Amino acid sequence: MTTIHIGNTPVRKCSTLSALFNTNIFIKEEFHNPGMSAKDRPALYMVQDAIANNKIQPGGTFVEASSGNTGLGITLIAKSLGYRSKIFVSKSCSDEKIDALQSAGAEIEICENSNGLHDFNSTQFRAQSYAATNDNAYFTNQYYNTQNIRAHYKSTGPELWEQTQGKITHFIAGIGTGGTISGVGRFLKAQNKHIKIWGVEPRGSVLRHFLKSGSMPDCLQPFEPIEGIGRNFIPGSLDVEVIDDIFQVESDDAKQAARRYAAETGILIGFSSAAIVACLSKYMEAMRIGRHDHVVLFFPDHGSRYISKLYAAEGQAIHYPQHIL
């Protein structure tokens, strides 16, 4: 339906992290997608599903609540097919993501938070309200759209299995909507039930509590600000049945991990990618990862989306992936 090439992103062995943690660490580099993020995958599936099932008519407007990356993917794909896009982002969205959305042609509304449909000031509530009250507007709703999980089950999971020749033993990803870890987890567990599927979220997020207890905590608290991951509600795109554990990290630890990784490798990683590195540093002993294991870290986007939040104060030199130079 579209000529935009999405997926088949590389898996690269990271010698720095492999040496540091005395195991085999591989990185799934999703910033090689057209919108420079993993969110291009569910964006494509959600847009294609909406068009194929007449949920939107030609020339209509795709609407999404996004921390930036899904919105950009939808905007790029929709524009290539002759549709418009309106993206609702929270005020915590990075300046770089806002700039990317505007450059791609999205109409943007900035909201107070992304706390779910129960909050009148959230990106999700306002996106749903807009779609409900405007003609030929369709809310893709990544938090509850089954195509979110399906995209990763049908594309990301099989890629990882093939690229690691079935040797993958651990998959570690940040959790926001839950689509990535759920789709990949379902596929990999079907190939080998012993593969560990581990999630990463900010301290104070509710997903670990839900995994362990099957319920929400009695009291909600603000969670650490790590853009793109962490929730104070349970997304419909989260399948805890395929997740072995969820680990929590501090925002400051993620920031330090990002800067340290940039200093050691010359590569800028995104906020949630840095959270994964921080998670390894904090929980490596508890994880009991063996020397011969094959651990895949899911890096959903590039650090150039977070210069102002992660790197500017440190004066790090900016290194872009070769394919976008």
Side-chain angles (χ1 to χ4, degrees), residues 212-253:
K212 299 297 184 181
S213 68
S215 64
M216 290 282 286
D218 293 333
C219 297
L220 296 179
Q221 57 180 313
F223 55 83
E224 290 276 305
I226 300 178
E227 193 168 323
I229 61 173
R231 293 275 79 88
N232 63 4
F233 65 95
I234 308 304
S237 295
L238 179 69
D239 180 5
V240 294
E241 295 298 320
V242 298
I243 302 173
D244 293 291
D245 208 346
I246 297 174
F247 300 94
Q248 295 196 334
V249 297
E250 308 279 342
S251 178
D252 284 346
D253 289 344

Side-chain angles (χ1 to χ4, degrees), residues 52-107:
N53 291 288
N54 297 315
K55 299 172 183 177
I56 189 170
Q57 301 306 310
T61 301
F62 281 96
V63 181
E64 184 55 274
S66 171
S67 62
N69 286 332
T70 305
L72 180 59
I74 287 172
T75 297
L76 292 173
I77 295 163
K79 186 176 182 180
S80 75
L81 298 171
Y83 294 83
R84 297 185 298 274
S85 58
K86 186 174 179 67
I87 311 301
F88 292 78
V89 301
S90 71
K91 63 181 182 181
S92 64
C93 185
S94 73
D95 294 340
E96 292 82 5
K97 286 182 181 178
I98 295 290
D99 290 343
L101 283 165
Q102 290 175 333
S103 295
E107 183 180 345

Side-chain angles (χ1 to χ4, degrees), residues 305-322:
R305 294 271 162 85
Y306 308 91
I307 299 296
S308 58
K309 290 195 171 188
L310 296 181
Y311 301 103
E314 295 296 309
Q316 295 283 356
I318 301 174
H319 295 260
Y320 292 96
Q322 186 65 36

Side-chain angles (χ1 to χ4, degrees), residues 20 27 30 34 56 63 74 88 118 154 167 169 178 199 231 238-239 243 245 264 276 283 289-290 295 305-306:
L20 179 63
I27 296 172
E30 286 293 285
I56 189 170
V63 181
I74 287 172
F88 292 78
H118 64 280
K154 300 292 279 186
K167 295 179 181 179
T169 58
R231 293 275 79 88
L238 179 69
D239 180 5
I243 302 173
D245 208 346
E264 293 172 353
I276 294 172
Y283 297 105
I289 295 173
V295 182
R305 294 271 162 85
Y306 308 91

Side-chain angles (χ1 to χ4, degrees), residues 95-323:
D95 294 340
E96 292 82 5
K97 286 182 181 178
I98 295 290
D99 290 343
L101 283 165
Q102 290 175 333
S103 295
E107 183 180 345
I108 302 168
E109 280 203 28
I110 298 177
C111 307
E112 185 65 24
N113 60 63
S114 58
N115 288 343
L117 292 170
H118 64 280
D119 189 321
F120 292 170
N121 296 312
S122 73
T123 58
Q124 294 91 352
F125 182 88
R126 288 178 58 183
Q128 178 178 261
S129 297
Y130 180 88
T133 55
N134 286 268
D135 292 337
N136 201 13
Y138 174 69
F139 181 27
T140 44
N141 197 5
Q142 60 175 322
Y143 290 91
Y144 294 93
N145 194 321
T146 58
Q147 297 299 318
N148 189 352
I149 294 179
R150 185 170 183 267
H152 293 289
Y153 179 84
K154 300 292 279 186
S155 67
T156 319
E159 284 175 31
L160 286 169
W161 184 252
E162 181 179 351
Q163 289 171 322
T164 63
Q165 299 177 312
K167 295 179 181 179
I168 180 173
T169 58
H170 302 74
F171 176 73
I172 308 177
I175 308 180
T177 67
T180 298
I181 198 168
S182 300
V184 171
R186 283 181 185 178
F187 182 87
L188 292 180
K189 289 284 192 181
Q191 314 311 308
N192 178 357
K193 65 181 181 180
H194 299 296
I195 296 173
K196 294 295 184 184
I197 307 297
W198 285 335
V200 179
E201 68 174 352
R203 182 177 61 82
S205 176
V206 303
L207 304 180
R208 175 177 170 81
H209 187 280
F210 183 76
L211 175 70
K212 299 297 184 181
S213 68
S215 64
M216 290 282 286
D218 293 333
C219 297
L220 296 179
Q221 57 180 313
F223 55 83
E224 290 276 305
I226 300 178
E227 193 168 323
I229 61 173
R231 293 275 79 88
N232 63 4
F233 65 95
I234 308 304
S237 295
L238 179 69
D239 180 5
V240 294
E241 295 298 320
V242 298
I243 302 173
D244 293 291
D245 208 346
I246 297 174
F247 300 94
Q248 295 196 334
V249 297
E250 308 279 342
S251 178
D252 284 346
D253 289 344
K255 291 177 180 179
Q256 291 174 18
R259 293 162 184 163
R260 187 165 55 247
Y261 191 82
E264 293 172 353
T265 67
I267 299 172
L268 301 186
I269 57 177
F271 214 156
S272 63
S273 304
I276 294 172
V277 177
C279 176
L280 279 175
S281 298
K282 184 174 183 179
Y283 297 105
M284 190 65 184
E285 184 175 347
M287 289 177 172
R288 297 181 179 178
I289 295 173
R291 185 162 59 92
H292 300 294
D293 285 335
H294 284 62
V295 182
V296 175
L297 312 183
F298 191 77
F299 282 13
D301 61 4
H302 191 256
S304 57
R305 294 271 162 85
Y306 308 91
I307 299 296
S308 58
K309 290 195 171 188
L310 296 181
Y311 301 103
E314 295 296 309
Q316 295 283 356
I318 301 174
H319 295 260
Y320 292 96
Q322 186 65 36
H323 78 289

